[in-house]
Amino acid sequence: MKIKAVYPGSFDPITNGHIYIAERAAAIFDEVIVSVLVNERKNAAFTVKERCEMAKESLNHIQNISIDSFNGLLVDYVRHIGASVIIRGLRAMSDFEYEFQMALMNRRLAPEIETFFIVTDPKYSYVSSSSVREIFHFGGSVEGVVPDYVLEKLKAHYH
């Protein structure tokens, strides 16, 4: 039986930490769908289309990964595409508390869907999309925490 997993997130923009989690997930599961969340309540720096493009370019070296987007309840989306696992990356204990609560709520809504946590590499434990945007916006260097393609997109967006 092939296992399909969904790695959801805002990916605004995708970072090397996200890529690390996606690579690990792709080594474990038969198919991984990296899915960009459409969330009108969040003020995203990049459009959903741009975020999908950045993810596609950043993950094109992994054969069993595809890129998609979704809105609404994650468990509804996971069911709709025939997946059975949700991938969540953990950077710190503070992530775990939030992610644990979400996993329990998702289990309540869809007991047939498992949540699978992957701990990031320590060198990415401080990296978040919001910190990347803020550091870049104020002129700091984000080289080494985002792929070169994403760095070019940040330059085009903020300058």
Side-chain angles (χ1 to χ4, degrees), residues 3-52:
I3 300 176
K4 185 188 293 189
V6 173
Y7 179 25
S10 60
F11 305 109
D12 188 34
I14 193 166
T15 69
N16 289 344
H18 294 129
I19 294 166
Y20 177 84
I21 298 296
E23 289 170 339
R24 298 265 313 275
I28 297 166
F29 298 101
D30 299 300
E31 183 181 351
V32 176
I33 297 97
V34 172
S35 196
V36 176
L37 171 64
V38 178
N39 185 348
E40 286 82 23
R41 291 182 298 150
K42 277 192 169 183
N43 246 352
F46 295 96
T47 67
V48 171
K49 182 180 178 186
E50 290 171 319
R51 290 182 277 154
C52 287

Side-chain angles (χ1 to χ4, degrees), residues 73-108:
L73 282 178
L74 175 59
V75 293
D76 290 343
Y77 169 74
V78 172
R79 280 183 182 134
H80 175 73
I81 64 167
S84 59
V85 177
I86 298 168
I87 304 294
R88 298 304 296 160
L90 296 175
R91 293 172 299 187
M93 285 304 293
S94 55
D95 285 348
F96 179 76
E97 187 173 340
Y98 171 78
E99 294 295 346
F100 183 71
Q101 290 174 349
M102 290 305 298
L104 291 176
M105 182 56 75
N106 286 337
R107 180 171 274 293
R108 182 182 175 281

Side-chain angles (χ1 to χ4, degrees), residues 15-18 20 91 120-128 144-145:
T15 69
N16 289 344
H18 294 129
Y20 177 84
R91 293 172 299 187
T120 195
D121 188 302
K123 68 184 173 187
Y124 302 125
S125 63
Y126 62 91
V127 178
S128 69
V145 296

